[in-house]
Amino acid sequence: MSTEAVAEVIKEKKAEPLFSKKNRKLISNPLDIDNPVTVQILGVCSALAVTTQMKPAFVMSLGLTIVTACSNVAISALRNTIPSRIRIIVQLAIVSLWVIMVDQILKAYVYDVSKQLSVFVGLIITNCIVMGRLEAYAMANKPWPSFLDGMGNGLGYGMILMVLAFVRELFGAGSLFGFKVFASLGIPYQGNGLLLLPAGACILLGVIIWVQRTINGYRESH
């Protein structure tokens, strides 16, 4: 390849828009065909545990999205300086830093929600989605695409949590964000207790996975 051709290739790479088609897929794919919960089956434990109400589900989704995106950026920026044999330790240290910051902010501004989420905010450090994106993407890509990848996977996770929480709280307790929906409409409603139990959440998540995979045509490879 001639010098002029190499210069042209470099120029084209530099001219790539921040939200090019390739970068937009980093946000859109985790919402559908590569969703971390319904396709990759990651983060299921927390998805079942914090979705009895929409408020803690929203806060958990926001916290995981922030931790995943910021950790991706930090690891991506340091990726060429991290020795391979200690990369997991470095990743855990950076994720821990962001988790502690999110946990302290929750305790300072939404203490009641922080108590509801209990240990699950702290356990973000071991969430398969966070560590998976660091290993699979941030260690091999630049900070901006890594940020988008972290945002996309956090939003994909959060989307499933909000759908779960909507159905569980509405039909399990007759409310949304604590507001009594059926009572305010004058409709007598006996909540479905099964939806508030982990077993009910597991069944509901299975239905969501089936519906989502049916819509996008995803099939497991054998």
Side-chain angles (χ1 to χ4, degrees), residues 30-101:
L31 300 178
D32 186 17
I33 61 173
D34 200 21
N35 188 277
V37 180
T38 59
V39 175
Q40 301 177 39
I41 315 296
L42 300 175
V44 172
C45 295
S46 59
L48 300 180
V50 303
T51 52
T52 53
Q53 293 182 325
M54 294 194 72
K55 189 174 181 180
F58 175 76
V59 173
M60 183 70 180
S61 303
L62 185 62
L64 186 132
T65 301
I66 292 172
V67 170
T68 308
C70 294
S71 299
N72 262 15
V73 171
I75 289 296
S76 175
L78 298 172
R79 67 188 189 284
N80 294 326
T81 64
I82 302 174
S84 177
R85 63 182 182 280
I86 63 167
R87 70 185 190 284
I88 299 298
I89 297 174
V90 176
Q91 291 170 8
L92 287 173
I94 290 176
V95 174
S96 300
L97 173 65
W98 287 108
V99 170
I100 290 170
M101 291 177 64

Side-chain angles (χ1 to χ4, degrees), residues 169-176 178-191:
E169 185 177 358
L170 180 60
F171 296 105
S175 62
L176 289 175
F179 177 73
K180 294 294 183 182
V181 177
F182 293 107
S184 66
L185 297 173
I187 302 173
Y189 179 74
Q190 182 67 42

Side-chain angles (χ1 to χ4, degrees), residues 83-159:
S84 177
R85 63 182 182 280
I86 63 167
R87 70 185 190 284
I88 299 298
I89 297 174
V90 176
Q91 291 170 8
L92 287 173
I94 290 176
V95 174
S96 300
L97 173 65
W98 287 108
V99 170
I100 290 170
M101 291 177 64
V102 168
D103 189 43
Q104 292 302 306
I105 291 172
L106 292 180
K107 287 179 178 175
Y109 294 101
V110 283
Y111 185 69
D112 58 328
V113 176
S114 173
K115 288 178 65 178
Q116 282 182 278
L117 291 173
S118 184
V119 300
F120 290 100
V121 171
L123 288 177
I124 290 177
I125 188 175
T126 59
N127 191 295
C128 301
I129 298 172
V130 180
M131 296 302 294
R133 297 327 299 168
L134 294 178
E135 273 291 282
Y137 198 88
M139 286 296 292
N141 290 278
K142 295 179 179 178
W144 175 244
S146 297
F147 173 76
L148 296 179
D149 179 78
M151 287 292 294
N153 279 275
L155 293 175
Y157 168 83
M159 181 182 70

